Amino acid sequence: MAAQARPPRKALVTGAARGIGLAIARQLAQDGMQVLATDVDAQALAMAVSDLAQQGFAVAGEPLDVCSRAEVRALLHTHGPLDVVVNNAGIASRLLAFGDIAASELRRIFSVNVSGVFVVAQEAARQMKEGGRIVNIASRGYLGGAGASHYVASKAAVVGLTRAMAIELRWRGITVNAVAPGMVDTRMLDDFSAPMRRSLERREPSGSAADPQTIADAVAFLSSARAAQINGQVLLVDGGKSVGMPPL
Ligand code: NAD
């Protein structure tokens, strides 16, 4: 008797209209998953999905604000249960000294970077079956850094959430991991002035911001069936900057 082909795994990527999220959506589609690309920017998402279609990737697109539990629930009602969830949507802001960060700015960053991850993961995990994968995009910044303590704190919270969720969900055969990128060449870097960006790039081991594809490759591995034994981990994809700087 011929073996029955398994249906493709269903993956949701948040913040997939551009940058790292778009690279992840493309890679997971290339790996044979049925990908649902989502973003709060409906227009940019439609353009991205149409570009992907022209490249031969049948990726579906749905507008989604990760801060809205109602939107997340409605999306999962139609498209769930999911096998893979990539919590990529995130925001940053221009460099600000700790003393200058307004409470409203702290809340703005946390609402997307922390609550957004929490809500999407929580709602998706309710329906997820054994073999499920949740990958959260943190940042090397979670280790610390000057000029963005609100962003640093939000990404440290993503790491904490990842580790705590991994413990609770492992009994159901679901893994939860984080990928922590160094500097990546996306529009998020538009928050920096050109001289500041050049100075930051010089401090990267490669001397420049990484291609979003390098992050997509790490996410693709953690999303795959073969990563079943990796759980609650943070994979730093930063050329090794986080292990230290070379001697002067
Ligand atoms: P980007 O700004 O190019 O893309 C972010 C996407 O998220 C955009 O399409 C935006 O519309 C979407 N988004 C913002 N708020 C949203 C919301 N409420 N709901 C749904 N979508 C929303 O940024 P990027 O560099 O591709 O960043 C992706 C992730 O990688 C973020 O979590 C970011 O913090 C993280 N990261 C980026 C870098 C870097 O250097 N670019 C480094 C470390 C971590």
Side-chain angles (χ1 to χ4, degrees):
M1 199 166 68
Q4 275 202 325
R6 282 200 193 155
R9 293 164 82 223
K10 275 187 177 175
L12 167 77
V13 185
T14 67
R18 64 181 202 221
I20 296 171
L22 176 56
I24 294 169
R26 188 190 299 111
Q27 186 58 52
L28 296 187
Q30 194 154 13
D31 291 350
M33 293 189 201
Q34 188 181 325
V35 177
L36 180 60
T38 64
D39 203 287
V40 71
D41 184 341
Q43 211 178 343
L45 179 68
M47 281 167 59
V49 167
S50 135
D51 281 354
L52 286 172
Q54 279 181 9
Q55 295 163 34
F57 300 112
V59 169
E62 287 282 356
L64 176 73
D65 180 350
V66 295
C67 300
S68 163
R69 192 180 285 273
E71 284 186 27
V72 172
R73 280 191 175 154
L75 187 98
L76 287 168
H77 184 71
T78 312
H79 297 279
L82 302 163
D83 301 291
V84 173
V85 171
V86 183
N87 282 305
N88 164 79
I91 55 173
S93 69
R94 66 194 168 85
L95 294 178
L96 286 169
F98 170 61
D100 294 337
I101 296 170
S104 57
E105 185 59 0
L106 180 69
R107 275 196 299 275
R108 186 179 78 88
I109 297 280
F110 266 65
S111 70
V112 181
N113 294 7
V114 185
S115 302
V117 173
F118 190 97
V119 166
V120 173
Q122 190 179 49
E123 294 293 338
R126 291 191 210 286
Q127 311 173 324
M128 205 172 240
K129 301 203 169 69
E130 192 175 344
R133 302 272 179 270
I134 298 175
V135 182
N136 300 323
I137 305 302
S139 165
R140 175 182 60 208
Y142 94 91
L143 294 166
S149 40
H150 48 347
Y151 182 77
V152 167
S154 75
K155 293 301 187 178
V158 169
V159 169
L161 183 59
T162 300
R163 292 166 59 93
M165 282 170 52
I167 297 170
E168 292 197 27
L169 294 178
R170 71 178 174 214
W171 311 112
R172 289 172 44 201
I174 296 168
T175 65
V176 189
N177 291 290
V179 170
M183 192 176 184
V184 184
D185 187 12
T186 71
R187 281 195 28 212
M188 188 168 268
L189 302 186
D190 292 354
D191 289 327
F192 302 124
S193 67
M196 172 62 73
R197 178 178 168 147
R198 273 195 299 279
S199 148
L200 290 170
E201 288 202 70
R202 274 198 296 274
R203 293 192 221 175
E204 293 297 308
S206 66
S208 60
D211 187 325
Q213 182 62 38
T214 60
I215 311 305
D217 287 334
V219 172
F221 172 63
L222 292 173
S223 305
S224 71
R226 61 194 193 280
Q229 282 299 315
I230 303 173
N231 196 18
Q233 302 305 304
V234 183
L235 179 54
L236 278 135
V237 183
D238 72 338
K241 185 176 170 188
S242 47
V243 291
M245 297 292 277
L248 292 173

